[in-house]
């Protein structure tokens, strides 16, 4: 039956599982999903779990968590989740014994999926908002095999594995979403360590997973290619101690050269995520959707020195 809704709708009591971002796009998207009636369940990387819990208690995220319906977004449950491990036997001894993992268990993807199924039954929305490249500050030409594969494992295969384990516990008509970056298809100097390769994989996998998960489970799979935002992860990309960091250059470049010369807010990405996860996007799957003030379509830099005399 065709949907006649004119705004994103979920119906109440949809369950949305999302990986955690501490301070960026994902916080806004979670708020939007909660506003639309979704129950928010979060998977958080063990090394930042405590900071996240303390931040929540202190109200650090309150400004981004207020709901249009009044009150603030509640996270129903937080699970420790390390998206580079699929099964308990994949976790090396040094990780198990690491003090940041001490006292935690069940944080591999398959175990978290099982816990969520036991706690909530089926879910409707899955959000992958994580990336990690230990050698991100190194040019690709200087990246080690281990660094390259680690970026790919954390930032790309993690989406494959999440879908592998969560699609079976998703309701038909459900939706999965990840976040990618234009460095997958255009050269962005400074976005190194194989992270550009990992984002290219993520986008290619989005298409194949859309086909496979669409046919097998009746769920949609999309990714948002977001413009630059000064998040914690983005601030670590490079340029620390210099006049400007990588992400600060990227933000200034976008403002100077994008068709829409305006700031990009996490809310812009949150709104698009809400749309893509809602029934309004029921026929959209396999897409990389740009939310970048249109920067992706430019072929010349307006503020290049060589363009100084141009009209
Ligand atoms: N900030 C930007 O300018 C920008 C632009 C385009 C795309 N993105 C993408 O948005 C997504 C969120 O990043 P962000 O910039 O909002 O930064 P962020 O620091 O808020 O999020 C990155 C998260 O990844 C988590 N993480 C790292 N390794 C993990 C692992 N093994 N298991 C589980 N979680 C792990 C970290 O805990 C962190 O919360 C990423 O995919 C990023 O590439 C960001």
């Amino acid at each position: 039956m065709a949907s006649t809704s004119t705004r994103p709708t979920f119906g109440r009591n949809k369950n949305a599982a999302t990986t955690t971002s501490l301070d960026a796009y994902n916080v806004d998207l979670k708020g939007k999903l909660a506003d639309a009636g979704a129950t928010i369940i979060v998977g958080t990387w063990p090394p930042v779990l405590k900071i996240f819990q303390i931040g929540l208690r202190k109200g650090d995220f309150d400004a981004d968590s207020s709901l249009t319906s009044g009150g603030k977004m509640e996270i129903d449950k937080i699970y420790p989740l390390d998206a580079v491990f699929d099964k308990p036997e994949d976790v090396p001894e040094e990780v198990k014994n690491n003090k940041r993992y001490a006292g935690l268990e069940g944080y591999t993807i398959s175990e978290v999926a099982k816990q969520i199924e036991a706690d909530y039954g089926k879910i409707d929305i899955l959000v992958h908002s994580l990336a990690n490249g230990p050698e991100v500050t190194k040019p690709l030409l200087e990246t080690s095999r281990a660094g390259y594969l680690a970026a790919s494992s954390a930032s790309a295969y993690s989406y494959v594995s999440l879908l592998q384990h969560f699609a079976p516990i998703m309701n038909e008509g459900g939706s999965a979403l990840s976040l990618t970056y234009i460095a997958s298809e255009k050269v962005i100097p400074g976005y190194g360590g194989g992270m550009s390769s990992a984002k290219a994989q993520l986008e290619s996998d989005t298409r194949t997973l859309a086909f496979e998960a669409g046919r097998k489970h009746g769920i949609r799979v999309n990714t948002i290619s977001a413009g630059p935002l000064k998040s914690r992860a983005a601030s670590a990309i490079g340029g620390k101690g210099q006049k400007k960091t990588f992400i600060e250059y990227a933000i200034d470049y976008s403002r100077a050269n994008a068709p829409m010369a305006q700031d990009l807010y996490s809310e812009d990405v949150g709104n698009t995520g809400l749309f893509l996860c809602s029934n309004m996007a029921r026929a959209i799957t396999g897409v990389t959707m740009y939310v970048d003030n249109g920067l992706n379509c430019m072929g010349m830099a307006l503020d290049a020195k060589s363009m100084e005399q141009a009209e």
Side-chain angles (χ1 to χ4, degrees):
M1 193 175 79
S3 167
T4 52
S5 58
T6 53
R7 54 183 284 275
T9 54
F10 294 104
R12 306 310 276 183
N13 305 323
K14 293 277 180 184
N15 294 328
T18 165
T19 62
T20 308
S21 278
L22 291 179
D23 53 1
Y25 290 141
N26 193 244
V27 175
D28 194 83
L29 175 56
K30 283 202 286 281
K32 296 265 183 291
L33 292 170
D35 235 345
T39 301
I40 305 296
I41 315 160
V42 171
T44 296
W45 194 34
V48 298
L49 183 63
K50 280 211 176 81
I51 310 174
F52 183 57
Q53 286 168 328
I54 292 169
L56 271 178
R57 272 199 298 276
K58 281 186 6 208
D60 289 355
F61 310 112
D62 284 1
D64 295 316
S65 304
S66 49
L67 304 180
T68 49
S69 45
K72 79 176 176 62
M73 173 188 69
E74 295 298 337
I75 294 177
D76 211 59
K77 190 159 178 183
I78 301 172
Y79 300 84
L81 168 72
D82 194 323
V84 299
F85 304 125
D86 304 316
K87 317 178 280 307
E89 52 271 35
D90 297 340
V91 185
E93 283 304 313
E94 69 261 30
V95 171
K96 280 185 206 157
N97 299 328
N98 185 302
K99 66 173 193 304
R100 298 191 298 179
Y101 289 73
L104 298 176
E105 49 187 37
Y107 46 78
T108 69
I109 291 179
S110 60
E111 292 169 288
V112 174
K114 279 202 196 94
Q115 292 169 59
I116 290 182
E117 185 180 22
D119 293 343
Y120 294 91
K122 296 231 164 189
I123 63 162
D124 303 280
I125 295 158
L126 175 70
V127 180
H128 172 287
S129 179
L130 72 102
N132 207 345
E135 297 182 17
V136 67
T137 55
K138 285 190 192 166
L140 187 57
L141 203 51
E142 291 165 24
T143 297
S144 71
R145 184 182 296 269
Y148 183 96
L149 294 177
S152 173
S153 169
S155 314
Y157 186 75
S158 52
Y159 198 32
V160 177
S161 181
L162 278 173
L163 270 159
Q164 224 173 70
H165 293 94
F166 280 82
I169 65 156
M170 288 179 76
N171 286 314
E172 208 177 316
S175 176
L177 183 68
S178 70
L179 283 150
T180 185
Y181 185 49
I182 188 80
S184 57
E185 49 178 305
K186 304 270 169 61
V187 180
I188 306 288
Y191 194 77
M195 276 306 301
S196 55
S197 331
K199 290 302 191 190
Q201 285 177 282
L202 184 69
E203 290 172 26
S204 175
D205 293 345
T206 295
R207 293 182 284 273
T208 307
L209 291 169
F211 165 64
E212 294 181 2
R215 290 296 174 122
K216 191 164 177 190
H217 301 286
I219 63 171
R220 297 180 295 107
V221 183
N222 293 298
T223 187
I224 290 177
S225 183
L229 187 90
K230 201 172 170 192
S231 65
R232 189 179 292 248
S235 301
I237 294 173
K240 243 189 174 152
Q242 288 162 27
K243 205 167 145 210
K244 281 204 277 186
T245 59
F246 165 88
I247 195 68
E248 287 165 345
Y249 279 115
I251 290 168
D252 290 349
Y253 180 90
S254 177
R255 190 110 187 18
N257 295 295
M260 298 303 292
Q262 60 187 9
D263 291 331
L264 182 73
Y265 296 112
S266 55
E267 188 172 15
D268 297 311
V269 173
N271 281 331
T272 308
L274 176 67
F275 162 69
L276 283 174
C277 292
S278 77
N279 296 343
M280 282 189 86
R282 65 181 283 276
I284 300 176
T285 191
V287 302
T288 297
M289 184 168 284
Y290 300 102
V291 182
D292 65 347
N293 280 319
L295 188 64
N296 70 89
C297 70
M298 295 300 293
M300 274 181 124
L302 301 177
D303 66 346
K305 279 218 157 45
S306 49
M307 295 281 288
E308 261 165 16
Q309 306 304 320
E311 283 296 305

